[in-house]
Amino acid sequence: KLDWDNDYFAFQLSKDSTRKDFSDDNYSNGFHLQYSEDDEDYFIGHQIYTPHFLVIDFLIEEDRPYAGFLYGGYAKHYYSDAGFIASFPNHTYHKLTLGIVGPSSHAENIQKSWHKTFQDYPPSGWDHQLQDEPILNYGFFHECDLYPDRKGYKLLPYIECNIGNELIDSQIGYKFKIGKNIP
């Protein structure tokens, strides 16, 4: 599976639609490549973050800094007919992400090459990017199927937690799926 997004695809125009606003709007580019086999996922990815205006070559402390994130990881999925919360079919996974933020991610070279190739304005503030820092993150996800016998819809409450120096968060929610023969 390959996911790729770039702000170039959603070309932003200013209010009068006659000039670019010189913005990548804090996120410029990213890809995520994942190979899955036998309840295991192996993945690599790269993301580029930028301040709002790319043509300013001095540090704006209130804005997002220039940063690249190069990462790889592994996730293991477990499926069971009875979970630790209730006797419903469930899905759990554990995910480990390793990577680096900073110049070693090569985000500056990638963004400048892209802008040059497409004759776009040059990003100017990479001298102020975040410095190299290793990344280590652990993620946990658990969901259960409240209506396992229904083929036309599913209600899946879930919990997700992440901890590390990439992301610290937790979420609780529901997924609702509707369709034919939902697995």
Side-chain angles (χ1 to χ4, degrees), residues 43 69 72 74 95-99 135-139 161-169:
F43 56 89
F69 177 34
Y74 170 80
K95 178 173 75 171
L96 183 64
T97 303
L98 302 169
I135 297 295
L136 174 62
N137 230 77
Y138 167 75
C161 302
N162 293 285
I163 188 164
N165 62 342
E166 171 206 359
L167 177 64
I168 298 174
D169 78 342

Side-chain angles (χ1 to χ4, degrees), residues 62-125:
E62 302 83 36
D63 206 344
R64 175 177 285 227
Y66 280 87
F69 177 34
L70 177 64
Y71 64 90
Y74 170 80
K76 176 68 176 166
H77 298 263
Y78 300 92
Y79 300 90
S80 174
D81 289 332
F84 64 88
I85 296 175
S87 295
F88 298 107
N90 66 85
H91 165 225
T92 301
Y93 72 76
H94 303 272
K95 178 173 75 171
L96 183 64
T97 303
L98 302 169
I100 190 153
V101 168
S104 294
S105 72
H106 299 284
E108 176 182 6
N109 298 337
I110 292 168
Q111 188 182 44
K112 285 183 175 180
S113 295
W114 178 272
H115 280 241
K116 184 176 181 180
T117 300
F118 290 95
Q119 299 175 354
D120 208 351
Y121 56 89
S124 301

